[in-house]
Amino acid sequence: MTVLTIFFCGTGSNKFDVTHENFWDGELVSTLAANHAGREFAEWIVVDGPGSGNLQADDLFTKTKEYGLTGTLFGKGWEENVRHAVNIIKGKCNWQREQLTEQEYNRLKAAGIPIDDVKVEGSWFWRKYNYGERSVTQQTLQEQIIKTFRKDGVIPTQVNLVGWSRGGISCHMLANAMLNDPQLKHIPVNVFALDPVPGIGNFQDQRVRLGANVKEYVAFFARDERSKGFSCVIPQTAVGTKTSIYPMAGRHATMAGNATAAGGVPTSSSDLKTFIEPGRVVRHFAETCLKRWGVRLNKTLNLSEADLLRLTGAIASAEARYKLMHKVSYTYFTELDQGERYVSLGSKGVPFSAVKGSIYTPATGLTTSVLELAAYKHLR
């Protein structure tokens, strides 16, 4: 039995954001991935988000290209990310990087990725530059790791998906890709999503609906986000899927560990830790769910009831300061729906607080008070 966990980073985010300067204790998805105690590729992978610089292009199990700004604006590259994840699940690549180009070499080198120096061959007049050629590719090595360390066959017996922003939407896309794949449709899937936001024009069914292969869906949504184009998706789940959705104080990046007053670039060293509480609470419940889903993690918070009361109490006390975030936007423009964040329930736009009902546990949905700790007990 092998439980595979796939971590999808958000737009512009990558696996190295565990030390990103905007996050006082690391961006949550990359941090959770770094703390996984299992064997990479066999038991877990982390996938860089759209617009993050393609630092993983050399390692992917499917061919991709540099999308640049279109990755950031429109999510270009996430389809390849999903295909890569499908191939990892199956343990078989459909493309291999045998030689780096100069552009790819320079990009990886500039980003500080460990890589061999360029080899200069021939005389000065006929000089050639070898940017790295492998007799054994990264993909071949990873395939062998999968074959060696996955128990009872290459196909895992359960898949957990974790994602923030477009990484959260990528979780939806992968779950649906698995459902439509004869080899993978039988695998139970669990999802933990952080404010899944697809971006303008990206509300197709595979991004806003989930099938019966998803057994549990847990997500937190940023209550105080008002950026235009940042409408989050509360997916339509299948009958029988245990669905738990919660509001969280702060902006889109706050729950992922950005604790600044405006949910963006810190204005000072002290601003870096202005609102640490939402990130702590969400991280705790992410770790709790993953452990319950069979994941071995290092460096977990293990918050007590008293810790949670202290953190949620601090959030409630700072209500007026969180409301100041409503005037700030990642895209220069803000949008409201009856004074609230505009969200997408499936493919239908509704006000934030309209998302509730008996299909959710708790039924209070996005109106759940952060102080109501009993509403989180079933996650443990």
Side-chain angles (χ1 to χ4, degrees):
M1 173 181 175
T2 296
V3 174
L4 174 65
T5 303
I6 299 175
F7 300 91
F8 283 106
C9 296
T11 302
S13 185
N14 61 53
K15 65 184 292 185
F16 301 105
D17 283 352
V18 67
T19 57
H20 195 285
E21 60 187 3
N22 288 358
F23 297 84
W24 74 279
D25 194 29
E27 181 273 329
L28 181 53
V29 174
S30 56
T31 298
L32 290 171
N35 290 343
H36 196 297
R39 178 82 58 168
E40 188 175 7
F41 307 116
E43 296 175 85
W44 66 275
I45 62 165
V46 56
V47 183
D48 291 350
S52 62
N54 263 31
L55 301 182
Q56 280 186 326
D58 192 39
D59 296 334
L60 296 184
F61 269 39
T62 195
K63 190 173 184 179
T64 188
K65 63 181 181 179
E66 177 59 68
Y67 286 102
L69 190 59
T70 59
T72 303
L73 295 178
F74 307 113
K76 293 292 186 180
W78 58 355
E79 298 285 358
E80 289 93 329
N81 285 349
V82 170
R83 285 198 294 272
H84 164 62
V86 167
N87 290 339
I88 284 284
I89 295 170
K90 294 180 176 180
K92 188 68 177 176
C93 67
N94 62 11
W95 171 84
Q96 299 181 59
R97 168 70 69 200
E98 295 178 348
Q99 189 171 40
L100 295 174
T101 66
E102 179 180 4
Q103 181 184 16
E104 290 154 350
Y105 173 89
N106 289 335
R107 183 176 64 247
L108 294 172
K109 197 76 171 177
I113 308 302
I115 190 170
D116 291 338
D117 290 334
V118 175
K119 294 179 181 177
V120 181
E121 302 170 346
S123 67
W124 68 270
F125 188 75
W126 301 106
R127 185 161 293 172
K128 295 180 180 179
Y129 297 91
N130 184 339
Y131 293 96
E133 188 169 315
R134 302 185 179 98
S135 56
V136 179
T137 67
Q138 293 287 87
Q139 289 79 5
T140 301
L141 292 172
Q142 292 163 19
E143 283 183 353
Q144 190 57 50
I145 289 172
I146 290 170
K147 289 176 184 177
T148 302
F149 293 100
R150 283 194 188 161
K151 303 170 185 176
D152 302 322
V154 167
I155 302 296
T157 49
Q158 178 182 303
V159 172
N160 303 321
L161 306 177
V162 181
W164 168 46
S165 188
R166 280 200 179 106
I169 299 295
S170 297
C171 294
H172 302 174
M173 294 163 65
L174 177 55
N176 285 315
M178 292 174 64
L179 184 63
N180 293 322
D181 190 305
Q183 282 186 272
L184 308 179
K185 64 182 181 181
H186 67 282
I187 301 175
V189 176
N190 298 308
V191 178
F192 192 99
L194 291 83
D195 209 41
V197 169
I200 295 172
N202 286 323
F203 293 86
Q204 296 79 10
D205 274 1
Q206 73 269 26
R207 300 185 176 105
V208 301
R209 296 175 183 267
L210 292 169
N213 60 331
V214 177
K215 303 307 177 184
E216 185 171 0
Y217 184 88
V218 180
F220 283 79
F221 297 88
R223 182 197 65 190
D224 298 300
E225 183 56 67
R226 295 294 186 273
S227 300
K228 189 172 182 61
F230 270 68
S231 178
C232 56
V233 167
I234 300 89
Q236 180 178 326
T237 53
V239 174
T241 299
K242 184 179 179 182
T243 306
S244 302
I245 58 171
Y246 299 93
M248 182 49 66
R251 297 188 65 205
H252 182 63
T254 307
M255 69 174 68
N258 183 309
T260 64
V265 178
T267 58
S268 65
S269 58
S270 59
D271 183 40
L272 198 60
K273 299 175 70 173
T274 301
F275 293 127
I276 67 169
E277 293 83 7
R280 296 282 93 176
V281 172
V282 174
R283 174 174 168 176
H284 169 71
F285 286 117
E287 292 170 344
T288 299
C289 287
L290 285 173
K291 287 189 287 185
R292 182 163 53 82
W293 295 338
V295 176
R296 295 176 295 123
L297 291 171
N298 297 317
K299 302 178 183 177
T300 53
L301 297 181
N302 299 319
L303 299 181
S304 66
E305 192 85 0
D307 293 329
L308 288 169
L309 283 170
R310 175 178 52 81
L311 292 168
T312 55
I315 291 172
S317 297
E319 180 72 18
R321 297 179 68 195
Y322 281 110
K323 285 184 177 179
L324 296 176
M325 292 179 167
H326 300 180
K327 301 177 182 179
V328 187
S329 172
Y330 295 117
T331 57
Y332 301 103
F333 301 99
T334 58
E335 62 182 4
L336 299 173
D337 190 338
Q338 301 176 32
E340 303 180 50
R341 185 182 186 185
Y342 185 71
V343 304
S344 181
L345 179 57
S347 57
K348 180 183 178 182
V350 298
F352 194 84
S353 65
V355 187
K356 56 187 176 181
S358 59
I359 63 172
Y360 303 116
T361 304
T364 45
L366 295 188
T367 66
T368 304
S369 169
V370 72
L371 295 174
E372 192 180 341
L373 293 187
Y376 301 89
K377 282 190 174 179
H378 67 280
L379 296 182
R380 303 174 199 177

